[in-house]
Amino acid sequence: MSLVADYDPVLMLKRLIEEAGTKALLVLPYVALVQEKVGWLRKVVQHVKILDRSLLPQGAQNGPWRRRADYGRIRVIGFYGGGKVRATWDDFDIGVCTLEKANALINTAIDDGSISNLRSVVLDELHMIDDDHRGYIFELIAAKLLCLGQQVQLIGMSATLPNLNLLAAWLNGHTYETRYRPVPIEEHLVYDGKVFLAGPNDGLGHTPSQLGSQDVTEGKTTPIRRIEKSAHKE
């Protein structure tokens, strides 16, 4: 998932570079993820410039006009509840938003007619569409963008969605799935300071929920390592 997640900025930057003056949204479910992604994206785009001279005022190409300090740079702004930044649709090129903020931004842009500048929307953690409390916001965002009748690239990502084909059909998109894991997953059980390998490779055929204290106290399996007690009792 990390490789796929790193590819999202490439897709968004591609759309922004191809069409200067357009915008992209990265939608995440939690404030902590938004804050983390904003800092990371700013480092990614700090040396990327989009110089569209047509965006300058008339006559500015040859005159001594003072440009904005961030002219030509890609502006990454975070939108989340409780944030101190009071940015608007005109203040960013890439907006990193929580579900609620993304929905509000899209509503405002539709009302004032500026939604036509939106070119790419990444819906991360898409499995949260099944969430009882906030999942419907994912549906609202996607449904509105699909009904706009304009070229908005929708990118959905999830590591745990079982019905990818169903969602791809709804979003009129393509499905890309991989089961490759760069780091193998191992399950362990910790009991009385001893770490036991639990799962299909432990020789017992048990899952962690089935492997009980009786197995480890009676010596049916051997710990692979021990967690020593800390000398700092406080």
Side-chain angles (χ1 to χ4, degrees):
M1 278 302 293
S2 60
L3 293 175
V4 177
D6 292 347
Y7 189 58
D8 284 339
V10 177
L11 295 175
M12 291 189 294
L13 288 173
K14 181 176 184 294
R15 301 303 297 268
L16 296 179
I17 292 172
E18 289 177 347
E19 300 179 67
T22 56
K23 301 182 184 298
L25 291 178
L26 172 57
V27 185
L28 297 159
Y30 305 116
V31 172
L33 291 177
V34 171
Q35 294 173 327
E36 177 184 349
K37 210 67 172 183
V38 166
W40 181 77
L41 274 173
R42 284 175 177 169
K43 293 179 181 178
V44 170
V45 304
Q46 62 181 343
H47 298 301
V48 179
K49 288 190 176 183
I50 304 175
L51 301 177
D52 184 6
R53 302 186 68 83
S54 65
L55 297 179
L56 288 173
Q58 187 176 5
Q61 289 86 345
N62 300 318
W65 292 82
R66 181 179 179 182
R67 298 174 179 175
R68 289 176 45 159
D70 59 356
Y71 170 72
R73 297 184 181 275
I74 295 179
R75 297 164 296 171
V76 180
I77 301 293
F79 296 87
Y80 51 89
K84 296 181 179 179
V85 177
R86 294 293 179 262
T88 65
W89 183 261
D90 295 326
D91 297 325
F92 71 91
D93 299 301
I94 298 178
V96 187
C97 323
T98 56
L99 293 173
E100 293 79 7
K101 289 295 184 178
N103 189 46
L105 275 173
I106 291 171
N107 288 342
T108 302
I110 291 175
D111 289 339
D112 62 22
S114 58
I115 193 66
S116 58
N117 294 330
L118 186 61
R119 285 294 179 273
S120 180
V121 177
V122 177
L123 303 173
D124 202 358
E125 308 293 343
L126 192 54
H127 53 269
M128 282 199 65
I129 198 171
D130 192 41
D131 184 81
D132 292 336
H133 302 287
R134 304 172 71 210
Y136 75 95
I137 305 178
F138 263 130
E139 295 188 54
L140 285 175
I141 293 172
K144 278 182 281 196
L145 294 176
L146 290 172
C147 293
L148 288 176
Q150 65 185 53
Q151 296 297 320
V152 179
Q153 183 182 30
L154 285 176
I155 306 165
M157 293 198 315
S158 174
T160 59
L161 261 179
N163 53 341
L164 285 175
N165 292 329
L166 179 62
L167 280 174
W170 174 50
L171 296 173
N172 297 322
H174 301 282
T175 305
Y176 300 93
E177 181 179 0
T178 178
R179 298 185 180 277
Y180 169 72
R181 294 187 181 275
V183 179
I185 293 180
E186 294 182 350
E187 299 179 50
H188 298 86
L189 172 71
V190 180
Y191 179 83
D192 194 25
K194 302 172 185 176
V195 181
F196 299 88
L197 186 62
N201 299 321
D202 64 359
L204 299 174
H206 292 162
T207 63
S209 60
Q210 296 170 330
L211 187 61
S213 60
Q214 185 176 0
D215 294 317
V216 297
T217 55
E218 295 181 358
K220 293 183 179 180
T221 184
T222 304
I224 58 174
R225 63 179 179 270
R226 180 187 297 274
I227 299 176
E228 300 297 338
K229 292 183 179 181
S230 174
H232 306 283
K233 297 181 186 254
E234 63 276 8

